[in-house]
Amino acid sequence: MTGTLPVGSTRAGQQTTHEVESFLYHEAELLDGWRLREWLQLLTEDCSYLVPATDAPHSTTPDRTVFIIADSRAQIDGRVQRLESEQAFVEQPRSRTRRLVTNVRVHEDGPTAYEVFSNFAVYRYRRGVSHVFTGEYRHLLVRGTDGGFRIRERRATLDCEELRPQGKVSFIL
């Protein structure tokens, strides 16, 4: 998936781009701080969270293609509930993460909707081992009634060709 300008859309203005960048940095801060309940408040009720398979990064149909993660809002809520519970053995102790979000490109997709592409690096530290995940985010954002942004779709396309040696992606990219 590339962050090229979608057909029929226009680049957002400087003010909107700054607002979107601030929103993405806030999202990264919440995730790095394991403030997952607060992060859930950024999502719309009809949102989806997608991580395509590393051998099919351009896949757009999780119902017909294998995805690492293809979660609806209910599944995201369940994922957060499991990660916060003591039964999430894969995250005991919790991973420490640091997200870097760069090269943000914002495209208007109607008067209150935006398609946003950005590059990311997620550094994960756990039990003396560090891993780096890099790739491209694609967020579909909508403005809420309060004027703030909400995430309708969050897609993390990984650059790596396989998840080994990282293993499971048990945390939220």
Side-chain angles (χ1 to χ4, degrees):
M1 175 155 278
T2 62
T4 59
L5 188 65
V7 176
S9 70
T10 59
R11 290 215 186 261
Q14 187 174 11
Q15 177 63 33
T16 299
T17 298
H18 175 71
E19 290 177 58
V20 168
E21 288 173 339
S22 295
F23 177 83
L24 295 178
Y25 301 153
H26 176 65
E27 179 192 26
E29 178 183 16
L30 293 177
L31 291 171
D32 285 340
W34 279 83
R35 293 163 44 199
L36 302 179
R37 293 281 165 198
E38 288 178 64
W39 175 72
L40 287 174
Q41 295 173 17
L42 302 180
L43 308 177
T44 63
E45 289 302 315
D46 63 342
C47 72
S48 59
Y49 169 45
L50 305 170
V51 180
T54 57
D55 63 343
H58 302 295
S59 297
T60 59
T61 53
D63 56 331
R64 287 186 251 150
T65 309
V66 175
F67 270 58
I68 297 168
I69 298 169
D71 288 355
S72 66
R73 175 60 192 253
Q75 292 167 311
I76 297 167
D77 290 343
R79 180 181 296 274
V80 167
Q81 185 175 352
R82 282 187 304 279
L83 285 171
E84 289 183 329
S85 76
E86 292 182 13
Q87 282 73 41
F89 300 113
V90 74
E91 282 298 336
Q92 296 295 330
R94 287 182 178 164
S95 298
R96 288 182 303 133
T97 59
R98 184 67 55 211
R99 287 163 179 74
L100 305 178
V101 180
T102 66
N103 298 34
V104 178
R105 287 102 54 211
V106 182
H107 309 282
E108 293 181 359
D109 193 23
T112 60
Y114 304 89
E115 183 174 29
V116 180
F117 296 93
S118 60
N119 298 337
F120 69 84
V122 178
Y123 295 84
R124 178 189 191 199
Y125 304 94
R126 187 164 179 278
R127 294 188 173 160
V129 178
S130 64
H131 299 113
V132 179
F133 297 88
T134 61
E136 180 181 65
Y137 284 137
R138 176 180 174 259
H139 285 80
L140 296 181
L141 302 179
V142 294
R143 283 213 189 258
T145 55
D146 62 356
F149 294 110
R150 296 290 176 267
I151 300 168
R152 178 166 286 148
E153 181 179 293
R154 185 179 197 277
R155 179 185 175 110
T157 303
L158 295 165
D159 288 333
C160 60
E161 294 177 356
E162 60 183 18
L163 289 180
R164 296 178 196 264
Q166 291 95 332
K168 294 181 184 177
V169 181
S170 61
F171 61 98
I172 297 172
L173 285 172

